[in-house]
Amino acid sequence: MSTTTNTGTRGGLSRRGFLQTSAVASGGLAIGANLAGLSVEAIAAGTIHTPNAWVHIADDNTITLISARSEMGQGVYTSMPMLIAEELNVDVRTVQVVIAPPNTKLYGNALLGGPQLTGGSTSVRDGWEKLRVAGAQVREMLLSAAAAKWNVDAKSLKAENGNVTGPGGKKASYGQLAAEASKLPVPEKVALKEPGDFRIVGKRTRRLDTPAKTNGTAEFGIDVKLPGMVYASLEQCPVIGGTVKGFDGAKAKAMPGVIDVVQIPDGVAVVADTYWHAKKAREALAVQWDEGSGATLNEKTMLEGIRAGAPSDKVLPLKANGDAEAAIKDAKKVVRAEYVMPLLSHSPMEPMNFTAWVHDGKVDLIGPTQWQDGAQGTVAKALGVDPQTISVRTTFLGGGFGRRIDVDFIVQAAQISKAVGKPVKLIWTREDDMTHDFYRPQSLHQMAAALGDDGKPTAMTFRMVSQSITGRVFGLPLEVQDPLMTEAAIAPYEIAATRHEVVKHDAGLRVGYWRSVSHALNAFANESFIDECAAAAGKDPYAYRMALLEKQPRFANVLRLAADKAGWSTAAPAGRARGIALMEGYDTYMAQIAEVSMQNGAPVVHKVTVVADLGRMVNPDTVEAQIQSAIVFGLSAALYGEITLDKGRVQQTNFDRYRVVRMNESPTIDITLVQSNEKPGGIGEPATALIGPAVANAVFATTGKRVRRMPFTAENIASA
Amino acid sequence: MSTRFSVNGRTVDAKAEADTPLLWVIRDEIGLTGTKFGCGAALCGACTVHVDGQPVRSCQTPLSAVAGRKVSTIESLSRNNTHPLQKAWIAHDVPQCGYCQSGQLMSAAALLAKNKNPSDADIDAAMSGNICRCGTYARIKAAIKTAAAEMRGARSQA
């Protein structure tokens, strides 16, 4: 059994605090970095060395590798170090891992335009080259240090398993060389291994964080404890965006353990000696709200607004090829369809929480976040302080799925701490979490196609109407196309004339990035619609797709393999039928085939066959885990997920009314990974987007009913 | 006024009010944070502990209900991951975010205490009260079977 030294455990964290280590001797790269997790005393004393921003080596040969991405289940705590360790030539099971402190310059995500943000299935793609280069740089610096020490040619030396060895039995551990190595210039050019020489990357590797997650020692945000820490429970307006008009906190303040009742911009917080005291006293608050413009919202009128916006709001062209409109107008056979997606909540298992301490001109933030420099910058603005006075230590995340890109709860914790002058852990209830999310936006797709005499589409139009998340989060102007609305909008099928366009419509409720973002919206429309075209043409949905993929070898390959694996050419077991979905997302090509039966008018998903071609993989076992995960996550949305509003109040408050897939509803998932030398693709999200259309197409195959609206409840299927 | 009960074999006198949910007594007063808060309504299973060997949702169990009783938490399975379930969880690399896994393990431990050769249906019945948003269900099921096999083997050798 593995006994990895795991720095994510509370034991490993006992000596950590909020460490500003501006004095780190760093070889010029990591100056000013806040090296959370490394002993500031050891660094000051010169016993931990930092050849570059990704590797720290202690005199005792303890090697610490940095993951600049948050661990929310997707395995970066293991895959990021694997990339560094490959070139550094160390056993990944002997290293410590630390999640990086905020430092945009060092740890920003180039694939997302720079922020230090975990999302978009970018971690491996962003890190693929730079982390191997980082490992190789340190390896070369250690070799140079040894060469100088022994006065030999560096080429005669080897760096392996944490030691540099040379002629005549010379040997020194990385730790013995680190002090000298970190004084050397960082080499600009380093040779990387040929993939055929990889010893770590591409090999099934047990996750480094598993042991801490099987004995209760893994530290999540909710587990953080600081000396003198108090607990907060925050009453927010039941209508998102509403503000406090007035409140009476006297009754709450008189309750056991209550320290204070404070108002912050988002509501009224009760601060107490225990969480339960805070939560109980919160129930005694009397708050008058100005509910604001959200007080009239409900999801039906929001959808009507979206439909009304479809022709009238500004249309942003995405792609046009020939005159698709004219071709459809003149065609003998036309297929038209409209697809609708509901609002969704993220609902990770760990409700929103954060610990903050505003003290002595500093702000310490600890907890689960997907966006370190966003937390730092937003809290700085909210408190009116210099971002450099704010430290962020990231714990394990009890799920993210995009919810923890937003930092509302972090700002709240900081404001409450400032108001009471103590370290504060703010914990939301599940009800707070579900009713104050940043929801996946509704979407409407209007599709039309002309079919030729052979049944193949000759022209197609695609119009998507939804709300821009990037407008809210990053201030993208309304007239600019939002790349996070157009993912997988253009399907791979060969069609002579096409026109794709997007309409941005603000339906009035705050929206957020939700696992796979617009892939899920667009893939549902595209993969349902091509299935409708096949049915209208009287063709088999597999053969119909394949005939349109002659110029798309990676798509055709995954689809053909999936059909083989699922036994497409043979009849499904009695009472069951199969449905296909296909997509490229995050540079990953994927096909899914769902095998479904109907029970009480709703689908039961028995089996999902998945074939994925994501190019080179870092940890194939994690790849499989992410596919399994994404399918269950997407299936919850497809079968059950819908947020509704009454007078602006979210009606789903817990897992009884916001149902998610449980073990007894979880299908068998058969995964085939294509061996490929292509550049790596992302895998945390794409499978989420395909399970919905695969199930919808299977429902059609077994019932003849085309369900064009999620979730696939008996009611929505009956009215289809 | 305090409430005396045992946690993982140790006698404790909890000072919290009698109606405080056991979950928050375990986490905040006793300081064992392996047991997690997920829903506060016995809907998700993240807070599962054993009371006299039975799996209960500690978020819906008032402190008064455990007076004089034996409570076991994830920390009692073993600290060093030597319990067959913990070994199987590691062998199958079950956890992703990991937040629900303490509750999953405690539900699984209660199942295997009664049934060392559970069928798929037995596992579904015992485990479907525990939500995992990361969707680790297939690996949980496989790990339970691995652990059960080890426990049967250990018993037959004994």
Side-chain angles (χ1 to χ4, degrees), chain A residues 1 10 207 210 213-215 222-223 277 346-347 430 621 626 628-629 654 661-662, chain B residues 17 21 24 27 33 36 38-39 43 79 81 86 93 96-97 128 133-134 137 139:
Chain A
M1 199 199 67
R10 231 177 333 283
R207 293 173 62 127
T210 297
K213 290 176 174 177
T214 55
N215 63 12
I222 203 167
D223 305 324
H277 281 152
H346 299 82
S347 299
R430 173 58 57 190
D621 192 61
Q626 283 307 294
Q628 293 164 341
S629 170
N654 212 316
V661 164
R662 292 169 182 270
Chain B
E17 289 83 357
W24 297 106
R27 286 182 54 84
T33 53
K36 295 296 189 261
C39 69
L43 295 166
R79 286 290 196 167
N81 286 320
Q86 292 170 314
D93 242 346
Q96 291 188 25
C97 90
S128 288
R133 285 288 274 156
C134 300
Y137 300 126
R139 291 183 185 224

mmCIF file of all heavy atoms in Angstrom, chain A residues 1 10 207 210 213-215 222-223 277 346-347 430 621 626 628-629 654 661-662, chain B residues 17 21 24 27 33 36 38-39 43 79 81 86 93 96-97 128 133-134 137 139:
data_model
loop_
_atom_site.group_PDB
_atom_site.id
_atom_site.type_symbol
_atom_site.label_atom_id
_atom_site.label_comp_id
_atom_site.label_asym_id
_atom_site.label_seq_id
_atom_site.Cartn_x
_atom_site.Cartn_y
_atom_site.Cartn_z
ATOM 1 N N MET A 1 0.827 -1.198 0.000
ATOM 2 C CA MET A 1 0.000 0.000 0.000
ATOM 3 C C MET A 1 0.865 1.253 0.000
ATOM 4 O O MET A 1 1.923 1.301 0.602
ATOM 5 C CB MET A 1 -0.879 -0.018 1.248
ATOM 6 C CG MET A 1 -2.072 0.884 1.149
ATOM 7 S SD MET A 1 -2.715 1.240 2.779
ATOM 8 C CE MET A 1 -1.383 2.201 3.468
ATOM 9 N N ARG A 10 -3.971 17.474 7.135
ATOM 10 C CA ARG A 10 -3.842 18.448 8.195
ATOM 11 C C ARG A 10 -2.513 18.288 8.917
ATOM 12 O O ARG A 10 -1.899 19.257 9.308
ATOM 13 C CB ARG A 10 -4.993 18.326 9.188
ATOM 14 C CG ARG A 10 -5.650 19.642 9.430
ATOM 15 C CD ARG A 10 -6.834 19.538 10.348
ATOM 16 N NE ARG A 10 -7.460 18.238 10.302
ATOM 17 C CZ ARG A 10 -8.259 17.839 9.318
ATOM 18 N NH1 ARG A 10 -8.508 18.637 8.324
ATOM 19 N NH2 ARG A 10 -8.802 16.656 9.350
ATOM 20 N N ARG A 207 -3.478 8.210 -7.677
ATOM 21 C CA ARG A 207 -3.536 9.607 -7.251
ATOM 22 C C ARG A 207 -2.818 9.801 -5.922
ATOM 23 O O ARG A 207 -2.963 8.996 -5.001
ATOM 24 C CB ARG A 207 -4.992 10.035 -7.102
ATOM 25 C CG ARG A 207 -5.763 10.086 -8.386
ATOM 26 C CD ARG A 207 -7.227 10.358 -8.106
ATOM 27 N NE ARG A 207 -7.376 11.657 -7.459
ATOM 28 C CZ ARG A 207 -8.184 12.611 -7.909
ATOM 29 N NH1 ARG A 207 -8.925 12.422 -8.976
ATOM 30 N NH2 ARG A 207 -8.271 13.756 -7.276
ATOM 31 N N THR A 210 -5.318 10.326 -2.768
ATOM 32 C CA THR A 210 -6.295 9.333 -2.319
ATOM 33 C C THR A 210 -6.139 8.950 -0.848
ATOM 34 O O THR A 210 -7.141 8.929 -0.123
ATOM 35 C CB THR A 210 -6.262 8.089 -3.222
ATOM 36 O OG1 THR A 210 -6.640 8.479 -4.543
ATOM 37 C CG2 THR A 210 -7.214 7.029 -2.737
ATOM 38 N N LYS A 213 -7.873 11.102 1.434
ATOM 39 C CA LYS A 213 -9.314 11.171 1.213
ATOM 40 C C LYS A 213 -10.033 9.886 1.625
ATOM 41 O O LYS A 213 -11.233 9.744 1.386
ATOM 42 C CB LYS A 213 -9.597 11.509 -0.265
ATOM 43 C CG LYS A 213 -9.197 12.951 -0.613
ATOM 44 C CD LYS A 213 -9.364 13.281 -2.086
ATOM 45 C CE LYS A 213 -9.092 14.779 -2.333
ATOM 46 N NZ LYS A 213 -9.174 15.142 -3.769
ATOM 47 N N THR A 214 -9.289 8.943 2.221
ATOM 48 C CA THR A 214 -9.938 7.728 2.713
ATOM 49 C C THR A 214 -9.865 7.602 4.229
ATOM 50 O O THR A 214 -10.386 6.640 4.788
ATOM 51 C CB THR A 214 -9.317 6.465 2.084
ATOM 52 O OG1 THR A 214 -7.917 6.473 2.328
ATOM 53 C CG2 THR A 214 -9.574 6.412 0.589
ATOM 54 N N ASN A 215 -9.226 8.553 4.876
ATOM 55 C CA ASN A 215 -9.169 8.453 6.346
ATOM 56 C C ASN A 215 -9.583 9.745 7.051
ATOM 57 O O ASN A 215 -9.352 9.911 8.237
ATOM 58 C CB ASN A 215 -7.783 7.994 6.808
ATOM 59 C CG ASN A 215 -6.700 8.989 6.440
ATOM 60 O OD1 ASN A 215 -6.980 10.104 6.038
ATOM 61 N ND2 ASN A 215 -5.456 8.574 6.593
ATOM 62 N N ILE A 222 -14.038 23.663 4.537
ATOM 63 C CA ILE A 222 -14.918 23.618 5.706
ATOM 64 C C ILE A 222 -14.167 23.125 6.955
ATOM 65 O O ILE A 222 -14.636 23.303 8.069
ATOM 66 C CB ILE A 222 -16.160 22.742 5.394
ATOM 67 C CG1 ILE A 222 -17.328 23.115 6.298
ATOM 68 C CG2 ILE A 222 -15.818 21.264 5.473
ATOM 69 C CD1 ILE A 222 -18.653 22.531 5.854
ATOM 70 N N ASP A 223 -12.983 22.520 6.742
ATOM 71 C CA ASP A 223 -12.213 21.961 7.862
ATOM 72 C C ASP A 223 -11.167 22.927 8.423
ATOM 73 O O ASP A 223 -10.491 22.611 9.400
ATOM 74 C CB ASP A 223 -11.487 20.687 7.406
ATOM 75 C CG ASP A 223 -12.434 19.672 6.803
ATOM 76 O OD1 ASP A 223 -13.576 19.566 7.299
ATOM 77 O OD2 ASP A 223 -12.041 18.985 5.839
ATOM 78 N N HIS A 277 -24.413 27.566 16.591
ATOM 79 C CA HIS A 277 -24.939 28.755 17.262
ATOM 80 C C HIS A 277 -25.220 29.866 16.252
ATOM 81 O O HIS A 277 -26.238 30.559 16.322
ATOM 82 C CB HIS A 277 -23.953 29.250 18.327
ATOM 83 C CG HIS A 277 -24.017 28.452 19.596
ATOM 84 N ND1 HIS A 277 -22.932 28.297 20.437
ATOM 85 C CD2 HIS A 277 -25.036 27.758 20.177
ATOM 86 C CE1 HIS A 277 -23.278 27.556 21.477
ATOM 87 N NE2 HIS A 277 -24.557 27.211 21.344
ATOM 88 N N HIS A 346 -24.964 24.192 -9.782
ATOM 89 C CA HIS A 346 -23.761 23.344 -9.745
ATOM 90 C C HIS A 346 -23.870 22.297 -8.632
ATOM 91 O O HIS A 346 -23.546 21.140 -8.838
ATOM 92 C CB HIS A 346 -22.516 24.181 -9.473
ATOM 93 C CG HIS A 346 -22.221 25.230 -10.507
ATOM 94 N ND1 HIS A 346 -22.835 26.461 -10.518
ATOM 95 C CD2 HIS A 346 -21.359 25.234 -11.548
ATOM 96 C CE1 HIS A 346 -22.356 27.173 -11.537
ATOM 97 N NE2 HIS A 346 -21.465 26.453 -12.175
ATOM 98 N N SER A 347 -24.249 22.765 -7.454
ATOM 99 C CA SER A 347 -24.409 21.901 -6.283
ATOM 100 C C SER A 347 -23.265 20.925 -6.041
ATOM 101 O O SER A 347 -23.467 19.714 -6.013
ATOM 102 C CB SER A 347 -25.730 21.132 -6.385
ATOM 103 O OG SER A 347 -26.809 22.021 -6.418
ATOM 104 N N ARG A 430 -26.759 24.213 2.643
ATOM 105 C CA ARG A 430 -27.083 23.698 1.306
ATOM 106 C C ARG A 430 -28.142 24.582 0.634
ATOM 107 O O ARG A 430 -28.086 24.837 -0.574
ATOM 108 C CB ARG A 430 -27.589 22.241 1.411
ATOM 109 C CG ARG A 430 -28.116 21.654 0.102
ATOM 110 C CD ARG A 430 -27.098 21.671 -1.024
ATOM 111 N NE ARG A 430 -25.886 20.956 -0.663
ATOM 112 C CZ ARG A 430 -24.762 20.978 -1.389
ATOM 113 N NH1 ARG A 430 -24.696 21.688 -2.509
ATOM 114 N NH2 ARG A 430 -23.697 20.326 -0.989
ATOM 115 N N ASP A 621 -5.632 6.539 -16.042
ATOM 116 C CA ASP A 621 -6.643 6.150 -15.061
ATOM 117 C C ASP A 621 -7.498 7.353 -14.670
ATOM 118 O O ASP A 621 -8.712 7.241 -14.488
ATOM 119 C CB ASP A 621 -5.995 5.540 -13.820
ATOM 120 C CG ASP A 621 -7.043 4.865 -12.940
ATOM 121 O OD1 ASP A 621 -7.690 3.920 -13.423
ATOM 122 O OD2 ASP A 621 -7.228 5.306 -11.795
ATOM 123 N N GLN A 626 -12.424 10.693 -15.102
ATOM 124 C CA GLN A 626 -13.093 11.929 -15.500
ATOM 125 C C GLN A 626 -14.233 11.664 -16.476
ATOM 126 O O GLN A 626 -15.249 12.359 -16.460
ATOM 127 C CB GLN A 626 -12.087 12.920 -16.084
ATOM 128 C CG GLN A 626 -11.253 13.595 -15.024
ATOM 129 C CD GLN A 626 -12.125 14.235 -13.965
ATOM 130 O OE1 GLN A 626 -12.861 15.174 -14.220
ATOM 131 N NE2 GLN A 626 -12.090 13.697 -12.752
ATOM 132 N N GLN A 628 -16.033 8.866 -16.525
ATOM 133 C CA GLN A 628 -17.099 8.321 -15.672
ATOM 134 C C GLN A 628 -17.809 9.454 -14.933
ATOM 135 O O GLN A 628 -19.048 9.528 -14.893
ATOM 136 C CB GLN A 628 -16.502 7.338 -14.647
ATOM 137 C CG GLN A 628 -15.927 6.073 -15.280
ATOM 138 C CD GLN A 628 -15.004 5.293 -14.342
ATOM 139 O OE1 GLN A 628 -14.493 5.818 -13.356
ATOM 140 N NE2 GLN A 628 -14.785 4.025 -14.660
ATOM 141 N N SER A 629 -17.013 10.328 -14.370
ATOM 142 C CA SER A 629 -17.541 11.434 -13.581
ATOM 143 C C SER A 629 -18.417 12.351 -14.411
ATOM 144 O O SER A 629 -19.537 12.713 -14.023
ATOM 145 C CB SER A 629 -16.356 12.219 -13.006
ATOM 146 O OG SER A 629 -16.780 13.424 -12.432
ATOM 147 N N ASN A 654 -32.734 21.870 -1.956
ATOM 148 C CA ASN A 654 -31.896 20.778 -1.464
ATOM 149 C C ASN A 654 -32.028 19.604 -2.438
ATOM 150 O O ASN A 654 -32.729 19.701 -3.453
ATOM 151 C CB ASN A 654 -32.308 20.393 -0.028
ATOM 152 C CG ASN A 654 -31.108 19.908 0.794
ATOM 153 O OD1 ASN A 654 -30.284 19.129 0.317
ATOM 154 N ND2 ASN A 654 -31.016 20.374 2.032
ATOM 155 N N VAL A 661 -28.232 11.990 -9.851
ATOM 156 C CA VAL A 661 -28.085 10.544 -10.030
ATOM 157 C C VAL A 661 -27.415 9.923 -8.808
ATOM 158 O O VAL A 661 -26.417 10.448 -8.304
ATOM 159 C CB VAL A 661 -27.281 10.256 -11.312
ATOM 160 C CG1 VAL A 661 -26.774 8.824 -11.345
ATOM 161 C CG2 VAL A 661 -28.127 10.561 -12.549
ATOM 162 N N ARG A 662 -27.991 8.845 -8.339
ATOM 163 C CA ARG A 662 -27.426 8.089 -7.225
ATOM 164 C C ARG A 662 -26.892 6.760 -7.747
ATOM 165 O O ARG A 662 -27.038 6.450 -8.926
ATOM 166 C CB ARG A 662 -28.505 7.875 -6.148
ATOM 167 C CG ARG A 662 -28.902 9.175 -5.477
ATOM 168 C CD ARG A 662 -30.151 9.024 -4.607
ATOM 169 N NE ARG A 662 -30.546 10.295 -4.018
ATOM 170 C CZ ARG A 662 -30.108 10.745 -2.833
ATOM 171 N NH1 ARG A 662 -29.284 10.004 -2.100
ATOM 172 N NH2 ARG A 662 -30.510 11.913 -2.372
ATOM 173 N N GLU B 17 -25.594 22.323 23.378
ATOM 174 C CA GLU B 17 -26.993 22.126 23.746
ATOM 175 C C GLU B 17 -27.474 20.769 23.222
ATOM 176 O O GLU B 17 -27.006 20.294 22.179
ATOM 177 C CB GLU B 17 -27.873 23.239 23.150
ATOM 178 C CG GLU B 17 -27.684 24.600 23.795
ATOM 179 C CD GLU B 17 -26.496 25.389 23.255
ATOM 180 O OE1 GLU B 17 -25.758 24.847 22.389
ATOM 181 O OE2 GLU B 17 -26.287 26.519 23.708
ATOM 182 N N PRO B 21 -27.097 19.226 16.374
ATOM 183 C CA PRO B 21 -26.846 18.017 15.592
ATOM 184 C C PRO B 21 -25.481 17.404 15.915
ATOM 185 O O PRO B 21 -24.487 18.120 16.052
ATOM 186 C CB PRO B 21 -26.895 18.517 14.141
ATOM 187 C CG PRO B 21 -27.724 19.748 14.190
ATOM 188 C CD PRO B 21 -27.411 20.380 15.527
ATOM 189 N N TRP B 24 -22.198 18.600 14.127
ATOM 190 C CA TRP B 24 -21.446 19.803 14.503
ATOM 191 C C TRP B 24 -20.727 19.613 15.830
ATOM 192 O O TRP B 24 -19.701 20.255 16.083
ATOM 193 C CB TRP B 24 -22.372 21.015 14.500
ATOM 194 C CG TRP B 24 -22.908 21.252 13.123
ATOM 195 C CD1 TRP B 24 -24.171 21.003 12.677
ATOM 196 C CD2 TRP B 24 -22.166 21.710 11.982
ATOM 197 N NE1 TRP B 24 -24.264 21.291 11.327
ATOM 198 C CE2 TRP B 24 -23.046 21.724 10.877
ATOM 199 C CE3 TRP B 24 -20.843 22.101 11.779
ATOM 200 C CZ2 TRP B 24 -22.657 22.115 9.595
ATOM 201 C CZ3 TRP B 24 -20.449 22.493 10.508
ATOM 202 C CH2 TRP B 24 -21.354 22.506 9.436
ATOM 203 N N ARG B 27 -17.618 17.707 14.710
ATOM 204 C CA ARG B 27 -16.677 18.525 13.929
ATOM 205 C C ARG B 27 -16.084 19.671 14.737
ATOM 206 O O ARG B 27 -14.862 19.832 14.788
ATOM 207 C CB ARG B 27 -17.388 19.101 12.693
ATOM 208 C CG ARG B 27 -17.659 18.090 11.592
ATOM 209 C CD ARG B 27 -18.314 18.787 10.396
ATOM 210 N NE ARG B 27 -17.514 19.920 9.968
ATOM 211 C CZ ARG B 27 -16.465 19.832 9.145
ATOM 212 N NH1 ARG B 27 -16.121 18.674 8.638
ATOM 213 N NH2 ARG B 27 -15.778 20.917 8.831
ATOM 214 N N THR B 33 -12.880 16.299 11.970
ATOM 215 C CA THR B 33 -13.501 16.942 10.806
ATOM 216 C C THR B 33 -13.594 16.030 9.590
ATOM 217 O O THR B 33 -13.966 16.477 8.508
ATOM 218 C CB THR B 33 -12.735 18.220 10.423
ATOM 219 O OG1 THR B 33 -11.355 17.880 10.269
ATOM 220 C CG2 THR B 33 -12.891 19.290 11.481
ATOM 221 N N LYS B 36 -18.430 14.972 7.145
ATOM 222 C CA LYS B 36 -18.689 16.200 6.382
ATOM 223 C C LYS B 36 -20.146 16.643 6.408
ATOM 224 O O LYS B 36 -21.070 15.834 6.503
ATOM 225 C CB LYS B 36 -18.262 15.991 4.923
ATOM 226 C CG LYS B 36 -16.757 15.763 4.753
ATOM 227 C CD LYS B 36 -15.943 16.975 5.172
ATOM 228 C CE LYS B 36 -14.472 16.886 4.824
ATOM 229 N NZ LYS B 36 -13.621 16.469 5.944
ATOM 230 N N GLY B 38 -23.050 18.107 4.175
ATOM 231 C CA GLY B 38 -23.400 18.205 2.763
ATOM 232 C C GLY B 38 -24.734 18.871 2.514
ATOM 233 O O GLY B 38 -24.862 19.709 1.638
ATOM 234 N N CYS B 39 -25.765 18.466 3.295
ATOM 235 C CA CYS B 39 -27.106 18.990 2.981
ATOM 236 C C CYS B 39 -27.877 19.421 4.217
ATOM 237 O O CYS B 39 -28.819 20.188 4.105
ATOM 238 C CB CYS B 39 -27.906 17.939 2.213
ATOM 239 S SG CYS B 39 -28.368 16.506 3.219
ATOM 240 N N LEU B 43 -30.223 13.966 3.233
ATOM 241 C CA LEU B 43 -30.495 13.646 1.828
ATOM 242 C C LEU B 43 -29.253 13.183 1.071
ATOM 243 O O LEU B 43 -29.380 12.630 -0.020
ATOM 244 C CB LEU B 43 -31.069 14.881 1.114
ATOM 245 C CG LEU B 43 -32.433 15.372 1.608
ATOM 246 C CD1 LEU B 43 -32.718 16.770 1.066
ATOM 247 C CD2 LEU B 43 -33.528 14.399 1.201
ATOM 248 N N ARG B 79 -6.482 5.132 11.039
ATOM 249 C CA ARG B 79 -5.780 6.369 10.701
ATOM 250 C C ARG B 79 -4.791 6.148 9.563
ATOM 251 O O ARG B 79 -4.445 7.065 8.840
ATOM 252 C CB ARG B 79 -5.010 6.885 11.928
ATOM 253 C CG ARG B 79 -5.910 7.502 12.978
ATOM 254 C CD ARG B 79 -6.477 8.824 12.483
ATOM 255 N NE ARG B 79 -7.021 9.609 13.582
ATOM 256 C CZ ARG B 79 -7.354 10.883 13.476
ATOM 257 N NH1 ARG B 79 -7.208 11.505 12.328
ATOM 258 N NH2 ARG B 79 -7.849 11.524 14.505
ATOM 259 N N ASN B 81 -4.997 3.890 7.030
ATOM 260 C CA ASN B 81 -5.554 3.282 5.820
ATOM 261 C C ASN B 81 -5.332 1.768 5.745
ATOM 262 O O ASN B 81 -5.071 1.221 4.672
ATOM 263 C CB ASN B 81 -4.991 3.958 4.562
ATOM 264 C CG ASN B 81 -5.585 5.331 4.338
ATOM 265 O OD1 ASN B 81 -6.786 5.535 4.537
ATOM 266 N ND2 ASN B 81 -4.759 6.284 3.959
ATOM 267 N N GLN B 86 -10.592 0.887 3.176
ATOM 268 C CA GLN B 86 -9.651 1.962 2.812
ATOM 269 C C GLN B 86 -8.623 1.456 1.803
ATOM 270 O O GLN B 86 -8.285 2.146 0.841
ATOM 271 C CB GLN B 86 -8.946 2.496 4.064
ATOM 272 C CG GLN B 86 -9.895 3.235 5.011
ATOM 273 C CD GLN B 86 -9.238 3.530 6.345
ATOM 274 O OE1 GLN B 86 -8.587 2.672 6.943
ATOM 275 N NE2 GLN B 86 -9.405 4.761 6.827
ATOM 276 N N ASP B 93 -8.558 3.644 -6.626
ATOM 277 C CA ASP B 93 -8.495 5.110 -6.761
ATOM 278 C C ASP B 93 -9.901 5.694 -6.857
ATOM 279 O O ASP B 93 -10.253 6.375 -7.814
ATOM 280 C CB ASP B 93 -7.659 5.521 -7.979
ATOM 281 C CG ASP B 93 -6.429 6.327 -7.560
ATOM 282 O OD1 ASP B 93 -6.382 6.773 -6.396
ATOM 283 O OD2 ASP B 93 -5.525 6.500 -8.391
ATOM 284 N N GLN B 96 -12.525 11.335 -6.018
ATOM 285 C CA GLN B 96 -12.120 12.426 -6.901
ATOM 286 C C GLN B 96 -11.977 13.663 -6.017
ATOM 287 O O GLN B 96 -10.934 13.846 -5.418
ATOM 288 C CB GLN B 96 -13.107 12.580 -8.061
ATOM 289 C CG GLN B 96 -12.994 11.366 -9.001
ATOM 290 C CD GLN B 96 -13.785 11.500 -10.277
ATOM 291 O OE1 GLN B 96 -14.077 12.588 -10.742
ATOM 292 N NE2 GLN B 96 -14.132 10.368 -10.866
ATOM 293 N N CYS B 97 -13.032 14.478 -5.908
ATOM 294 C CA CYS B 97 -12.879 15.600 -4.960
ATOM 295 C C CYS B 97 -12.732 15.071 -3.547
ATOM 296 O O CYS B 97 -12.051 15.671 -2.729
ATOM 297 C CB CYS B 97 -14.026 16.605 -5.075
ATOM 298 S SG CYS B 97 -15.463 16.309 -4.031
ATOM 299 N N SER B 128 -27.269 3.947 -1.889
ATOM 300 C CA SER B 128 -27.948 4.957 -2.703
ATOM 301 C C SER B 128 -28.410 6.169 -1.906
ATOM 302 O O SER B 128 -28.890 7.150 -2.480
ATOM 303 C CB SER B 128 -29.099 4.331 -3.492
ATOM 304 O OG SER B 128 -28.531 3.532 -4.531
ATOM 305 N N ARG B 133 -21.230 13.764 -6.269
ATOM 306 C CA ARG B 133 -21.400 14.593 -7.469
ATOM 307 C C ARG B 133 -20.285 14.334 -8.484
ATOM 308 O O ARG B 133 -20.419 14.693 -9.647
ATOM 309 C CB ARG B 133 -21.453 16.079 -7.093
ATOM 310 C CG ARG B 133 -22.764 16.480 -6.459
ATOM 311 C CD ARG B 133 -23.912 16.509 -7.467
ATOM 312 N NE ARG B 133 -24.025 17.765 -8.192
ATOM 313 C CZ ARG B 133 -24.605 17.876 -9.384
ATOM 314 N NH1 ARG B 133 -25.065 16.791 -10.005
ATOM 315 N NH2 ARG B 133 -24.705 19.046 -9.965
ATOM 316 N N CYS B 134 -19.161 13.766 -8.018
ATOM 317 C CA CYS B 134 -18.098 13.407 -8.966
ATOM 318 C C CYS B 134 -18.415 12.104 -9.684
ATOM 319 O O CYS B 134 -17.680 11.710 -10.587
ATOM 320 C CB CYS B 134 -16.757 13.285 -8.264
ATOM 321 S SG CYS B 134 -16.190 14.780 -7.451
ATOM 322 N N TYR B 137 -19.450 6.283 -8.401
ATOM 323 C CA TYR B 137 -20.253 5.122 -7.988
ATOM 324 C C TYR B 137 -19.691 3.781 -8.465
ATOM 325 O O TYR B 137 -19.662 2.808 -7.710
ATOM 326 C CB TYR B 137 -21.683 5.273 -8.494
ATOM 327 C CG TYR B 137 -22.404 6.500 -7.986
ATOM 328 C CD1 TYR B 137 -22.998 7.393 -8.864
ATOM 329 C CD2 TYR B 137 -22.492 6.763 -6.618
ATOM 330 C CE1 TYR B 137 -23.678 8.515 -8.403
ATOM 331 C CE2 TYR B 137 -23.168 7.895 -6.153
ATOM 332 C CZ TYR B 137 -23.758 8.763 -7.051
ATOM 333 O OH TYR B 137 -24.429 9.865 -6.586
ATOM 334 N N ARG B 139 -16.676 2.907 -9.153
ATOM 335 C CA ARG B 139 -15.461 2.524 -8.415
ATOM 336 C C ARG B 139 -15.792 2.188 -6.958
ATOM 337 O O ARG B 139 -15.166 1.322 -6.366
ATOM 338 C CB ARG B 139 -14.419 3.645 -8.510
ATOM 339 C CG ARG B 139 -13.863 3.778 -9.929
ATOM 340 C CD ARG B 139 -12.788 4.838 -10.029
ATOM 341 N NE ARG B 139 -12.379 5.004 -11.420
ATOM 342 C CZ ARG B 139 -11.116 5.118 -11.825
ATOM 343 N NH1 ARG B 139 -10.133 5.119 -10.949
ATOM 344 N NH2 ARG B 139 -10.823 5.247 -13.100
#
